[in-house]
Amino acid sequence: MGGGRLVLGVLLSLLGPSVAAAQGRPPLTQRLDPQTLAALRPILDSATTDSIPVSALEDKAHEGVAKRVPALRIVGVVRQLSAELRDARTLLRSAAPAAVVSGDEVIAAADARRRGIPAAEISTLRSHVPPATGLVIPYTVLGDLMQRGIPVDEARSIIEQLITAGVPASQMAEIPARMDVALRVGAPPLDALRNALPVPLRPLRPAPPPAAPKPNPTAVRSRP
């Protein structure tokens, strides 16, 4: 039951714009003044032309209105998000030209970059799995694993192996929460990940051995 709620939360967080629209959210024209709408229009039009998920930009604007953010700041935040989404889409398209890049995947990749995932890891994951593989949840889990102390290249490799093994995205989405159970009782991140995996994979990279203590020069000189 808990795993199902986690998966639902992941999907809602990434697909929030479409969900909100389906719930009858009023359009921006009813929530923003004409000047702010005029400033946002070129950003939204450019996003449409470049196949950037406009719904994510509109959602960010609605969020700003709900939080009573000043109009100029709303425009600046939407412009920044548009640039992040455009960069994410470029990464995905360059990594796998034959793949169909969905708007939700662009959003997930941009969110992963915002959480500190290097661009090279975003590209590598996209290029190392079949073009038809959706990466919305894998990119989200990649960020989750890194934030829990897993080296990003190791996390990306694990996700690739899970995809190759045919692990459903729903099971992949449960891994971070399962890791948290072990982390709360003091398990090292790699041990927690090993126990959280739904299928056995190749041995995880062991932690580096502790550094050997340095000799004490004073003690050496004091020998007879």
Side-chain angles (χ1 to χ4, degrees), residues 5 33-34 36 41 43 53 71 75 80 98 107 111 121 123 129 136 138 155 211 218 222:
R5 287 195 296 267
D33 61 84
T36 305
R41 182 53 53 195
I43 302 173
V75 174
Q80 175 63 31
I107 294 170
D111 181 67
E121 297 296 342
S123 298
V129 300
V136 175
T218 304
S222 63

Side-chain angles (χ1 to χ4, degrees), residues 157-173:
S157 176
I158 291 296
I159 290 173
E160 289 178 11
Q161 293 181 67
L162 292 171
I163 292 172
T164 301
V167 173
S170 59
Q171 290 187 24
M172 203 178 301

